Amino acid sequence: MLKLKAMRRRYRWRQLHSIKELRTNPNSYPSKKTLTQRRHNDKPRPVGDSDIKQWNMTISYYMRNSQLDSALHFFNLMPRRSSVSYNAMISGYLMNGRFDLARNLFDEMPERDLVSWNVMISGCVRNNNLAAARELFEEMPERDVVSWNAMLSGYAQNGCIDEARKIFDRMPCKNSISWNALLATYVQNGKMEEACRLFESKLDWDLVSWNCLMGGFVKKKMLVDARRVFDRIPLRDKISWNTIITGYAQNGEIEEARRLFNESPVRDVFTWTAMVSGLVQNGLVDEARETFDQMPQKNAVSWNAMIAGFVQCKRMDMARKLFDKMPFRDVTTWNTMITGYAQSGETAHARDFFDRMPQRDPVSWAAMIAGYAQSGYSEEALRLFVDMKRDGERLNRSSFACALSTCAHIAALELGMQLHGRLVKAGYESGSFVGNAVLLMYCKCGGIEEACSAFEEITEKDIVSWNTMIAGYARHGFGKEALKIFESMKAAGVKPNDTTMVGVLSACSHAGLVDRGMEYFYSMNQDYGITANSRHYTCMVDLLGRAGRLDEAQKFIRNMPFEPDAATWGALLGASRIHGNTKLAEMAAELIFEMEPENAGMYVLLSNLYAASGRWADVSKIRLKMRDTGVKKIPGCSWLEVQNKIHTFSVGDSCHPDRDKIYAYLEELDLKMKREGYVSSIKLILHDVDEEEKEHMLKYHSEKLAVAYGILSIPAGRPIRVIKNLRVCEDCHNAIKYISKIVGRLIILRDSNRFHHFREGSCSCGDYW
């Protein structure tokens, strides 16, 4: 007997010694062979509860340090296991994100206790597998309040309000966690009426619950209700005061926020920061700076709020000074500065900060990509997007949206389609945020069919989705399709806004649907409560003017409830040019020059009209006026994408490496077009030269060069998509109709005004642009 006790003591001493050694040096645990030899040498060796506890503690130690293999190795070596041993392994697997291993071990357990079931259900909830959690929950032989709360929390976290309420009502015994979980569910999902009813059904709520309810009202901007709750709180803490102060400050009631701030019995750094942020959000940056300077202590959020204030009001010099003084900077600080410089057009400064920041996150990349895109540096934006992926940074929604916007700007459809493919793989395709970016990209790149497919794939369409699709069809000249989308939008219960009606009226204008356009304009106030603004009136002037109803267009302008702007007069000028009304065009142009003396496009429109009428002296006067006022005509250029590379052309371009082949092909096309009946519109040339020279000048316009290169480079069967920075000239429009018939190709041209789909000798605009 004494010998047996001595052997047990030796065994326990060795075991405890081994565990202590493992904790100080986790890699020193004995091999399986060594432990097997020890077991043979030390028989008999009964194992007691205290021994199992030490093994379990060691397993938990390994799991906390993410050493899963070591924990499993030790688990397998245990002479005897308890349910606690299994629970330690299952909890460890779940803690380290290995739900599959946890579930397998749970299924293998010889005997489960209540803790085992609760741990596994909680793991299913954390893994967002509510179906598995509910299945286990219903299988449980017995449940306690922890089991019920686990299911309640799972439904709450996933926004399943009705299911959460059903679980709550079934609970045989509820504790404060149960009540708070359901209250938080209602609050987080904006169900404030239900939250109030629940709150009033119980008297002994703790302070956390009061603050939760008040915070819900603040989030919904229901400040009267939030204040009522605040006044009823039996004993307020810092969170109570900070929440109500933030609510008033963020909703423009800065005086009440300041009064409560002064009343607050204890102010911590969050109280001060709430006040600074409120002042910043209300544009009171100087007052915010005074409050900021008075703060007894500041944290990173305080500094970032103040820097963001200066950034929002474009005072980058002050933001930079504060940035330099900041004792500790986080990634948000750097991102704010990058965003500020990028939005101010100072991309060089933004890039300098981007390159110097010690650590970047997806927001940093997205801010820099957006900065390049908004400043017109499209290639740099796309290059940075590629670098982001190469650096292993996770591509988020914002970076995808910025890159897609850049593709839309330069009409890089092939690259945009590749980005769309990556976006789908990343699982972002169904949300309206990136879905709208994809939709806009296809619309602006000339892929209207792809845009329609992308529109259908957006599971939750918002007002932007509908407006983008309507405007897309309108710009492509498919007015009837645009109006069908508009009717579908109303049938879906989405209320049109002013942007919607701009798209609808524009669709009517591009399609020549005058009567429909008039009907929509005069009914939108009564039907949708939309008051017409300058953009709606401009659409109507354009609609009437393009249809040749110039007198009605003038009358429309005279009856406007506010002064017409340059865009409205520009619409009349454009219509006057189309219909050759020089007198009306001159009147409109003079008014435009008074409002926008540097608007080169309007000078060019008037020059075109004079040239078409043979009034060369007036053309010269326009040129002199442009020179005297310092106005420079924007050079026309066209570009297209071939194998992910952008090829740009200007009139008479001699820089392209394939120029000889392009010019030879254009000469060949010119002969074929003339045999088909094409005649050059030499009246459009703004130079008083002979007709042969005029014809030669027209032949090598940038859009013709781009189309010719597209035919030579893009495989048959695929559309040729060309972008021009200015309005396509009448001769090129006519020529491309002939070319589309001769080569049997679909040619899509986007100019500064709209899209033209050329097919079999006709254009989608019906020569109405």
Side-chain angles (χ1 to χ4, degrees), residues 267-279:
R267 299 176 196 154
D268 60 8
V269 66
F270 300 103
T271 320
W272 285 90
T273 302
M275 200 63 213
V276 170
S277 298
L279 290 165

Side-chain angles (χ1 to χ4, degrees), residues 531-749:
T531 302
N533 59 32
S534 60
R535 293 193 301 163
H536 300 116
Y537 277 95
T538 299
C539 286
M540 291 305 297
V541 171
D542 188 61
L543 174 69
L544 293 167
R546 287 174 185 272
R549 295 158 66 166
L550 297 178
D551 290 338
E552 288 182 64
Q554 275 187 283
K555 183 179 179 181
F556 212 85
I557 293 174
R558 284 196 297 267
N559 292 333
M560 285 174 64
F562 39 77
E563 286 298 315
D565 58 15
T568 307
W569 289 114
L572 186 63
L573 173 57
S576 302
R577 187 199 64 80
I578 290 173
H579 297 287
N581 192 325
T582 308
K583 184 177 180 181
L584 187 57
E586 287 175 329
M587 183 269 291
E590 287 303 318
L591 291 167
I592 294 169
F593 297 153
E594 288 178 12
M595 298 177 190
E596 297 180 356
E598 297 181 358
N599 190 330
M602 297 300 107
Y603 285 98
V604 172
L605 275 178
L606 191 58
S607 293
N608 287 342
L609 188 57
Y610 286 147
S613 304
R615 295 170 56 175
W616 299 110
D618 290 320
V619 171
S620 298
K621 288 179 183 178
I622 290 291
R623 285 186 186 149
L624 286 172
K625 190 171 183 178
M626 291 176 70
R627 187 187 66 185
D628 292 342
T629 53
V631 177
K632 293 184 179 179
K633 179 181 179 292
I634 300 171
C637 66
S638 301
W639 65 91
L640 77 164
E641 181 189 20
V642 179
Q643 295 181 345
N644 283 348
K645 186 177 180 181
I646 302 297
H647 296 260
T648 306
F649 299 88
S650 57
V651 61
D653 198 301
S654 60
C655 299
H656 197 277
D658 291 326
R659 59 185 177 278
D660 293 339
K661 187 165 41 171
I662 294 169
Y663 277 76
Y665 186 63
L666 268 180
E667 291 293 337
E668 181 185 331
L669 280 176
D670 189 58
L671 291 173
K672 291 180 179 179
M673 286 192 294
K674 285 179 178 175
R675 283 199 291 267
E676 292 287 334
Y678 163 73
V679 178
S680 300
S681 301
I682 57 176
K683 64 179 182 178
L684 299 174
I685 294 297
L686 304 184
H687 300 278
D688 191 9
V689 295
D690 60 54
E691 292 191 1
E692 185 177 346
E693 179 64 17
K694 288 181 180 180
E695 187 174 328
H696 181 78
M697 293 169 72
L698 284 172
K699 190 183 297 182
Y700 303 119
H701 273 192
S702 64
E703 51 266 62
K704 289 178 183 173
L705 295 172
V707 166
Y709 182 69
I711 295 169
L712 292 170
S713 307
I714 297 173
R718 291 178 58 189
I720 297 161
R721 293 180 169 88
V722 174
I723 313 299
K724 183 171 183 181
N725 64 331
L726 304 175
R727 184 181 181 276
V728 61
C729 79
E730 185 180 325
D731 180 72
C732 287
H733 187 273
N734 189 33
I736 296 172
K737 285 197 297 183
Y738 278 96
I739 291 172
S740 70
K741 182 179 180 181
I742 291 166
V743 300
R745 302 286 294 270
L746 169 62
I747 301 170
I748 301 172
L749 172 66

Side-chain angles (χ1 to χ4, degrees), residues 385-453:
F385 181 84
V386 173
D387 291 343
M388 179 181 181
K389 186 173 184 296
R390 188 181 296 125
D391 283 6
E393 188 68 61
R394 184 174 181 270
L395 302 174
N396 64 357
R397 287 178 171 83
S398 295
S399 54
F400 270 117
C402 291
L404 287 165
S405 175
T406 303
C407 291
H409 179 68
I410 62 174
L413 179 63
E414 291 181 20
L415 183 56
M417 292 176 76
Q418 291 172 22
L419 288 175
H420 186 194
R422 289 184 186 175
L423 188 148
V424 171
K425 287 181 181 178
Y428 292 144
E429 80 278 10
S430 61
S432 61
F433 178 67
V434 290
N436 291 340
V438 170
L439 180 58
L440 183 64
M441 182 274 294
Y442 281 127
C443 284
K444 285 196 169 185
C445 290
I448 195 65
E449 292 180 2
E450 292 86 350
C452 185
S453 298

Side-chain angles (χ1 to χ4, degrees), residues 334-343 347 350-351 354 357 361-374 381 384 388 396 398-399 402:
W334 290 89
N335 289 346
T336 302
M337 292 299 294
I338 291 168
T339 302
Y341 279 123
Q343 290 178 348
T347 50
R351 186 57 191 257
F354 180 81
M357 65 189 303
D361 65 3
V363 177
S364 320
W365 290 89
M368 196 63 241
I369 292 169
Y372 276 135
Q374 291 163 8
L384 198 63
M388 179 181 181
N396 64 357
S398 295
S399 54
C402 291

Side-chain angles (χ1 to χ4, degrees), residues 374-387:
Q374 291 163 8
S375 298
Y377 299 111
S378 302
E379 290 186 18
E380 287 82 352
L382 293 175
R383 192 177 297 119
L384 198 63
F385 181 84
V386 173
D387 291 343

Side-chain angles (χ1 to χ4, degrees), residues 309-322:
F310 286 126
V311 165
Q312 287 168 17
C313 61
K314 308 293 184 184
R315 292 164 65 176
M316 289 307 299
D317 53 338
M318 295 299 295
R320 178 62 185 268
K321 287 177 182 177
L322 211 57

Side-chain angles (χ1 to χ4, degrees), residues 60-108:
S60 297
Y61 168 81
Y62 281 131
M63 284 300 190
R64 282 196 302 272
N65 288 278
S66 301
Q67 297 181 32
L68 277 63
D69 291 339
S70 299
L72 178 61
H73 185 73
F74 215 81
F75 178 78
N76 288 334
L77 291 175
M78 290 182 71
R80 185 165 69 85
R81 305 180 188 113
S82 67
S83 60
V84 177
S85 312
Y86 280 92
N87 293 340
M89 286 295 295
I90 293 170
S91 297
Y93 281 139
L94 293 171
M95 184 195 312
N96 287 280
R98 293 307 305 269
F99 176 82
D100 53 337
L101 297 178
R103 184 59 195 262
N104 290 339
L105 193 58
F106 176 82
D107 292 338
E108 292 172 6

